Amino acid sequence: MCGRMAITLPHAAMAQVFDAVASNDLPDVPNYNVCPTVQVHTVTSDDGLRRLRPMRWGFIPHWYDSPTDGPLLINARSETIATKPAFRQAARTRRCLIVASGFYEWKRIAGEKPLPWYITRADAAPMAFAGIWQDWDRDGSAMATCAIVTCAANAAMEPIHHRLPVILSPGDWGKWLGEQGHGAATLMTQVADDALHFTRVGTAVNSNRASGPDLIVPIDPDAHDQ
């Protein structure tokens, strides 16, 4: 799964990388501790025009009467996305890219604090997670919401966690966004083991209130009490 991430790229740079027009209400950057239910940076495409726009991280199905009417849906499993009632229409027609500099995952060892790792692309390029989105509206309270598509972990990720976000390469962005016809389902696969870089970071990020660049500072991978 993916339950926390960081985004450090300036808005103008994000718009350039994704060849998108930036909205004027994007979340502030940098943010080293992006948590579920906050606004995240997404890219959508409408008739070939890409927009860099904010969405709530936490997909809200149209039948929810409130954002808390059911489970918090921050991830969508690639194996079942096409059949789950909450996700299947979005998987066909409302796909997006969710932008991050990296994400956090925790290795859990019985009797010890969860040990956080910060994961980035090995080439240090921005990450583009496969995402789906949904407009939700009740009594005039409207918002765009999204979830990250996940797949089984690759061999590099498996020692830390059994799930992994679907991370799209630049050549696949257009297909996922529907700009190149059909075939998006074939993209919901693991990245290569050598495509990711893993950094052990301190346990300060275990708190969703933590902030600042110190959260991604490397520490000794064998340290358990930082």
Side-chain angles (χ1 to χ4, degrees), residues 7-27:
I7 178 66
T8 62
L9 202 64
H11 294 156
M14 267 188 271
Q16 183 175 15
V17 166
F18 292 96
D19 192 22
V21 177
S23 299
N24 59 11
D25 56 348
L26 292 167

Side-chain angles (χ1 to χ4, degrees), residues 6-9 17 99-102 118-128 167 170 194-199:
I7 178 66
T8 62
L9 202 64
V17 166
V99 185
S101 299
Y118 181 58
I119 299 121
T120 59
R121 285 180 54 115
D123 60 7
M127 285 184 162
I167 302 167
D194 61 359
L196 300 177
H197 177 72
F198 296 80
T199 301

Side-chain angles (χ1 to χ4, degrees), residues 4-211:
R4 210 86 68 76
M5 55 187 167
I7 178 66
T8 62
L9 202 64
H11 294 156
M14 267 188 271
Q16 183 175 15
V17 166
F18 292 96
D19 192 22
V21 177
S23 299
N24 59 11
D25 56 348
L26 292 167
D28 291 339
V29 289
N31 184 346
Y32 294 89
N33 196 2
V34 180
C35 301
T37 75
V38 306
Q39 298 287 300
V40 295
H41 300 77
T42 72
V43 178
T44 59
S45 181
D46 184 11
D47 293 329
L49 177 64
R50 292 183 184 177
R51 291 180 56 204
L52 179 65
R53 51 184 292 206
M55 291 190 193
R56 176 193 188 262
W57 184 15
F59 188 99
I60 306 178
H62 65 84
W63 61 79
Y64 277 26
D65 288 328
S66 75
T68 58
D69 200 31
L72 178 60
L73 305 175
I74 61 172
N75 296 150
R77 294 174 66 96
S78 60
E79 298 90 340
T80 57
I81 193 172
T83 57
K84 287 283 188 182
F87 300 139
R88 61 191 178 198
Q89 187 60 37
R92 294 190 192 102
T93 62
R94 294 188 302 278
R95 298 186 299 272
C96 64
L97 308 177
I98 298 175
V99 185
S101 299
F103 67 98
Y104 300 96
E105 196 53 81
W106 281 261
K107 183 174 183 177
R108 301 183 185 275
I109 300 174
E112 300 185 18
K113 286 183 180 180
L115 304 179
W117 291 77
Y118 181 58
I119 299 121
T120 59
R121 285 180 54 115
D123 60 7
M127 285 184 162
F129 300 141
I132 55 172
W133 66 278
Q134 167 80 46
D135 279 329
W136 180 84
D137 189 351
R138 282 294 186 280
D139 301 323
S141 178
M143 67 180 84
T145 72
C146 64
I148 295 171
V149 181
T150 67
C151 61
N154 59 18
M157 185 69 175
E158 184 64 39
I160 298 172
H161 197 272
H162 67 284
R163 300 295 293 178
L164 178 69
V166 172
I167 302 167
L168 300 173
S169 63
D172 291 330
W173 294 347
K175 182 176 284 189
W176 184 256
L177 292 173
E179 298 170 350
Q180 300 168 6
H182 301 295
T186 65
L187 304 177
M188 293 189 291
T189 59
Q190 306 160 339
V191 293
D193 292 342
D194 61 359
L196 300 177
H197 177 72
F198 296 80
T199 301
R200 175 74 166 85
V201 294
T203 55
V205 75
N206 289 9
S207 169
N208 59 13
R209 297 181 180 180
S211 63

